[in-house]
Amino acid sequence: DTEVTQTPKHLVMGMTNKKSLKCEQHMGHRAMYWYKQKAKKPPELMFVYSYEKLSINESVPSRFSPECPNSSLLNLHLHALQPEDSALYLCASSQVPDRIQETQYFGPGTRLLVL
Amino acid sequence: KQEVTQIPAALSVPEGENLVLNCSFTDSAIYNLQWFRQDPGKGLTSLLLIQSSQREQTSGRLNASLDKSSGRSTLYIAASQPGDSATYLCAVRRHSGYALNFGKGTSLLVTP
């Protein structure tokens, strides 16, 4: 099983809502990532979790709050978002975060629209 | 700061043609380089990963090369098929940290 799953596939939320994105992998990977991809742009790294601990936060605004409850799950909690936060949010995982030959496996993404 | 550039931005070819996609990067201190495929509105599928010490990798009709000293990689697709139509992204992994720096991609259309 080389699959990373993400739910929901689509999400529409208002600027005052609180919602969460969920990512799951059962490959035994110990590194998990959140990327944000705007239309016609490449993905940009937001957060990295290594062995369930937050290791990188790429200066992401606090209205995005990641959580890694266990080695298979990664959440992204959203609160008071802005319309410019509308994007495709991609989750990825890799076996061990600091091995140079690691391939990152990506999920299908959650397409978020903030009204 | 690592800058990754992909040329061309878009490419349309008839079925059966061989084609080359180009990727260049400004900082040669990389761990590896990956080529991904992304279908519209979908996630990324890893195609090939080349370690910094390697020169090329092959998978089926795909061949990727890496010239680290000149900061270039190419993705060669042989005998293209309409199913190859997608956006192809090149990404380099920095020596420091886990982040992948992506290019903007090449949008490929293979016409029957």
Side-chain angles (χ1 to χ4, degrees):
Chain A
D1 181 7
T2 57
E3 192 179 22
V4 176
T5 59
Q6 290 187 243
T7 53
K9 287 193 169 89
H10 302 275
L11 179 62
V12 180
M13 61 186 290
M15 290 189 284
T16 58
N17 292 156
K18 284 185 183 180
K19 297 286 184 184
S20 296
L21 310 185
K22 182 177 173 180
C23 173
E24 197 163 1
Q25 56 86 14
H26 295 287
M27 296 178 276
H29 290 177
R30 304 308 299 274
M32 296 186 78
Y33 313 76
W34 280 115
Y35 287 83
K36 173 181 176 179
Q37 186 178 25
K38 301 278 281 183
K40 308 282 188 194
K41 300 284 187 185
E44 293 179 346
L45 183 70
M46 299 174 72
F47 302 103
V48 179
Y49 271 83
S50 173
Y51 298 98
E52 296 89 70
K53 291 193 182 341
L54 182 65
S55 60
I56 291 182
N57 176 340
E58 292 279 337
S59 303
V60 179
S62 60
R63 56 186 185 269
F64 295 92
S65 175
E67 178 198 19
C68 190
N70 60 56
S71 59
S72 300
L73 279 175
L74 184 66
N75 298 320
L76 186 63
H77 302 299
L78 314 172
H79 174 54
L81 293 195
Q82 303 296 312
E84 59 264 29
D85 296 322
S86 299
L88 181 68
Y89 288 84
L90 294 163
C91 173
S93 70
S94 63
Q95 191 167 22
V96 176
D98 52 357
R99 280 217 316 237
I100 64 172
Q101 65 268 40
E102 284 306 314
T103 294
Q104 290 187 17
Y105 294 87
F106 281 79
T110 293
R111 187 160 297 282
L112 174 68
L113 177 61
V114 182
L115 300 176
Chain B
K1 185 187 174 206
Q2 178 75 272
E3 300 284 343
V4 181
T5 304
Q6 290 187 246
I7 295 172
L11 181 63
S12 180
V13 300
E15 182 177 6
E17 270 203 11
N18 303 325
L19 57 102
V20 174
L21 308 181
N22 296 291
C23 172
S24 61
F25 47 95
T26 54
D27 185 349
S28 61
I30 64 169
Y31 268 147
N32 59 46
L33 183 145
Q34 267 184 276
W35 283 93
F36 291 90
R37 169 189 171 134
Q38 186 172 30
D39 292 284
K42 305 287 187 183
L44 280 67
T45 301
S46 179
L47 298 173
L48 289 163
L49 181 149
I50 312 178
Q51 305 298 342
S52 61
S53 58
Q54 296 176 321
R55 298 285 293 182
E56 66 178 321
Q57 282 287 334
T58 298
S59 175
R61 293 182 294 108
L62 305 179
N63 176 277
S65 69
L66 174 64
D67 184 343
K68 204 172 76 150
S69 60
S70 67
R72 294 184 184 192
S73 175
T74 60
L75 179 67
Y76 175 82
I77 302 177
S80 58
Q81 302 170 357
D84 295 330
S85 299
T87 295
Y88 290 81
L89 292 155
C90 156
V92 297
R93 184 176 169 192
R94 304 188 284 236
H95 265 181
S96 59
Y98 315 120
L100 293 178
N101 288 111
F102 284 86
K104 291 185 178 178
T106 293
S107 178
L108 173 65
L109 176 65
V110 181
T111 54

